[in-house]
Amino acid sequence: MKLSEALSLRKDLLTRISQLEGRLQNNVTVQEGEEPAEKPEELFAELKECVKQLEYYIYQINVTNMQVTADNGTPLTKLLAKRDALSKRIHLLRSAFDSASTVNYNNRYSRSEIKNVPTVDVKALRKQLDDLSQQYILLDMEIQTLNFKYDLVE
């Protein structure tokens, strides 16, 4: 099994667990005298099995990630950490950009009202966001290539 397949299965398990959690919450209480639509015991059993499978895939993926390296010798775990950090930087800059670029000068009813103006260079911030986004895309493509190239360590 390729690493990419295991990642897909892990994602599917997380979705299934979330759905089971919702179904369980809908069936752990009912009006007095009514029966639940699904038996909570069965849902608990299914959840237990899904979480067990999730643990297996998380462990195997982590072990594999520790052993895989890019062509330049960079460990996959370092690439993943860099991608996560880039994602956080992009999120933070995008939030600042959105706030700075949505200044509306037309909300004032008169010249005496307070005028809000950006305190950062919005154009430079946009350029920085574009550059970081391009770096993220390239890094993510490198990671995805590795995911499809290497087998999951068993």
Side-chain angles (χ1 to χ4, degrees), residues 61-79:
I61 289 166
N62 288 342
V63 168
T64 304
N65 286 347
M66 293 294 292
Q67 295 181 15
V68 170
T69 58
D71 291 339
N72 65 4
T74 305
L76 178 55
T77 52
K78 184 171 180 85
L79 296 175

Side-chain angles (χ1 to χ4, degrees), residues 4 28 33 41 57 74 77 86 89 93 105 109-110 114 119 129 131 133-134:
S4 60
V28 292
E41 302 81 23
Y57 284 114
T74 305
T77 52
L86 265 174
R89 284 184 64 198
L93 285 175
Y105 300 106
Y109 293 105
S110 70
I114 296 171
T119 60
L129 262 172
D131 292 346
S133 294
Q134 182 63 29

Side-chain angles (χ1 to χ4, degrees), residues 16-17 21 42 49-50 61-62 64-65 67 70 78 82 86 89 93 95 99 103-104 108 116 137-138 151:
R16 181 142 180 82
I17 288 168
E21 179 184 17
E42 292 174 5
E49 183 56 35
C50 285
I61 289 166
N62 288 342
T64 304
N65 286 347
Q67 295 181 15
K78 184 171 180 85
K82 185 174 183 175
L86 265 174
R89 284 184 64 198
L93 285 175
S95 178
S99 293
V103 174
N104 189 345
R108 299 184 311 149
N116 292 323
I137 290 168
L138 293 173
D151 290 326

Side-chain angles (χ1 to χ4, degrees), residues 33-56:
E34 297 290 324
E35 292 292 320
E38 297 181 84
K39 293 182 179 179
E41 302 81 23
E42 292 174 5
L43 294 171
F44 277 122
E46 194 173 346
L47 263 170
K48 182 179 178 181
E49 183 56 35
C50 285
V51 171
K52 182 179 174 183
Q53 290 176 24
L54 179 65
E55 178 184 1
Y56 169 80

